[in-house]
Amino acid sequence: MQSILIYFGAALAEIAGCFSFWAWLRMGKSPLWLVPGCGSLVLFAWLLTLVDSSQAGRAYAAYGGIYITFALLWLWAAEGVRPDRWDLGGVALCLVGAAVILFGPHRA
Protein backbone atom coordinates (compact mmCIF):
# COMPACT_ATOMS: atom_id res chain seq x y z
CA MET A 1 0.00 0.00 0.00
CA GLN A 2 2.88 2.38 0.72
CA SER A 3 4.17 1.92 -2.84
CA ILE A 4 0.80 2.96 -4.24
CA LEU A 5 0.84 6.18 -2.19
CA ILE A 6 4.39 6.89 -3.33
CA TYR A 7 3.32 6.33 -6.94
CA PHE A 8 0.41 8.77 -6.46
CA GLY A 9 2.78 11.45 -5.15
CA ALA A 10 5.29 10.77 -7.92
CA ALA A 11 2.62 11.03 -10.60
CA LEU A 12 1.35 14.34 -9.30
CA ALA A 13 4.91 15.69 -9.06
CA GLU A 14 5.84 14.51 -12.56
CA ILE A 15 2.71 15.87 -14.21
CA ALA A 16 2.99 19.22 -12.43
CA GLY A 17 6.66 19.48 -13.40
CA CYS A 18 6.03 18.60 -17.02
CA PHE A 19 3.05 20.95 -17.15
CA SER A 20 5.30 23.83 -16.12
CA PHE A 21 7.32 23.26 -19.30
CA TRP A 22 4.12 22.94 -21.33
CA ALA A 23 2.82 26.21 -19.85
CA TRP A 24 6.06 28.01 -20.66
CA LEU A 25 6.55 26.68 -24.19
CA ARG A 26 2.98 26.18 -25.40
CA MET A 27 0.94 28.66 -23.38
CA GLY A 28 3.36 31.59 -23.29
CA LYS A 29 3.78 31.63 -19.51
CA SER A 30 6.82 33.15 -17.84
CA PRO A 31 10.05 31.12 -17.71
CA LEU A 32 9.71 31.44 -13.92
CA TRP A 33 7.20 28.58 -14.17
CA LEU A 34 10.25 26.35 -14.69
CA VAL A 35 11.59 26.94 -11.17
CA PRO A 36 8.85 25.07 -9.29
CA GLY A 37 8.52 22.73 -12.27
CA CYS A 38 12.13 21.58 -11.99
CA GLY A 39 11.73 21.17 -8.24
CA SER A 40 8.66 19.07 -8.86
CA LEU A 41 10.55 16.83 -11.29
CA VAL A 42 13.33 16.34 -8.72
CA LEU A 43 10.67 15.36 -6.16
CA PHE A 44 9.22 12.90 -8.67
CA ALA A 45 12.57 11.19 -9.23
CA TRP A 46 13.28 11.01 -5.49
CA LEU A 47 9.86 9.56 -4.72
CA LEU A 48 10.38 6.71 -7.18
CA THR A 49 13.51 5.68 -5.30
CA LEU A 50 11.31 5.04 -2.24
CA VAL A 51 9.23 2.31 -3.92
CA ASP A 52 9.76 -1.11 -2.36
CA SER A 53 11.38 -2.84 -5.36
CA SER A 54 14.84 -4.26 -5.80
CA GLN A 55 14.81 -3.42 -9.54
CA ALA A 56 14.39 0.14 -10.78
CA GLY A 57 12.96 -0.97 -14.13
CA ARG A 58 10.16 -2.92 -12.47
CA ALA A 59 9.31 0.01 -10.21
CA TYR A 60 9.20 2.35 -13.23
CA ALA A 61 7.12 -0.09 -15.30
CA ALA A 62 4.50 -0.48 -12.59
CA TYR A 63 4.45 3.29 -12.14
CA GLY A 64 3.39 3.70 -15.76
CA GLY A 65 -0.19 2.67 -15.07
CA ILE A 66 -0.47 5.12 -12.19
CA TYR A 67 1.01 7.90 -14.31
CA ILE A 68 -1.50 7.32 -17.10
CA THR A 69 -4.36 7.43 -14.60
CA PHE A 70 -3.16 10.71 -13.12
CA ALA A 71 -2.57 12.19 -16.58
CA LEU A 72 -6.22 11.61 -17.43
CA LEU A 73 -7.29 13.05 -14.09
CA TRP A 74 -5.13 16.10 -14.87
CA LEU A 75 -6.78 16.34 -18.30
CA TRP A 76 -10.15 16.51 -16.58
CA ALA A 77 -9.33 18.65 -13.53
CA ALA A 78 -6.77 21.09 -14.93
CA GLU A 79 -7.69 21.25 -18.61
CA GLY A 80 -11.45 20.78 -18.37
CA VAL A 81 -11.58 17.88 -20.84
CA ARG A 82 -13.57 14.90 -19.61
CA PRO A 83 -11.96 11.53 -20.48
CA ASP A 84 -14.10 9.46 -22.83
CA ARG A 85 -14.81 5.73 -22.73
CA TRP A 86 -11.68 4.97 -24.75
CA ASP A 87 -9.54 6.85 -22.25
CA LEU A 88 -11.18 4.98 -19.37
CA GLY A 89 -10.82 1.60 -21.07
CA GLY A 90 -7.18 2.29 -21.82
CA VAL A 91 -6.43 3.35 -18.27
CA ALA A 92 -8.15 0.21 -16.94
CA LEU A 93 -5.88 -1.95 -19.11
CA CYS A 94 -2.83 -0.05 -17.90
CA LEU A 95 -3.80 -0.44 -14.24
CA VAL A 96 -4.26 -4.18 -14.67
CA GLY A 97 -0.81 -4.35 -16.24
CA ALA A 98 0.72 -2.27 -13.46
CA ALA A 99 -0.86 -4.52 -10.83
CA VAL A 100 0.55 -7.64 -12.50
CA ILE A 101 4.01 -6.07 -12.57
CA LEU A 102 3.84 -4.74 -9.01
CA PHE A 103 2.19 -7.68 -7.25
CA GLY A 104 3.22 -10.67 -9.39
CA PRO A 105 5.38 -13.45 -7.91
CA HIS A 106 8.71 -12.46 -9.44
CA ARG A 107 11.78 -14.70 -9.33
CA ALA A 108 14.20 -11.99 -8.27
Side-chain angles (χ1 to χ4, degrees):
M1 184 61 172
Q2 182 179 0
S3 291
I4 299 297
L5 293 175
I6 292 169
Y7 280 145
F8 287 177
L12 185 59
E14 182 181 14
I15 291 168
C18 290
F19 185 75
S20 73
F21 279 81
W22 181 277
W24 170 53
L25 290 171
R26 303 279 303 263
M27 298 170 69
K29 300 291 185 183
S30 164
L32 292 175
W33 276 61
L34 300 178
V35 175
C38 287
S40 187
L41 290 172
V42 168
L43 176 63
F44 150 71
W46 175 74
L47 284 170
L48 281 185
T49 67
L50 302 178
V51 173
D52 186 24
S53 177
S54 58
Q55 293 86 23
R58 189 168 285 142
Y60 301 159
Y63 165 71
I66 304 300
Y67 175 81
I68 292 166
T69 302
F70 270 78
L72 288 178
L73 289 172
W74 182 276
L75 173 73
W76 194 1
E79 298 181 60
V81 177
R82 187 175 180 169
D84 63 22
R85 64 185 171 129
W86 297 103
D87 295 323
L88 298 176
V91 85
L93 286 171
C94 292
L95 287 174
V96 167
V100 168
I101 292 168
L102 190 59
F103 302 118
H106 302 287
R107 288 179 278 154

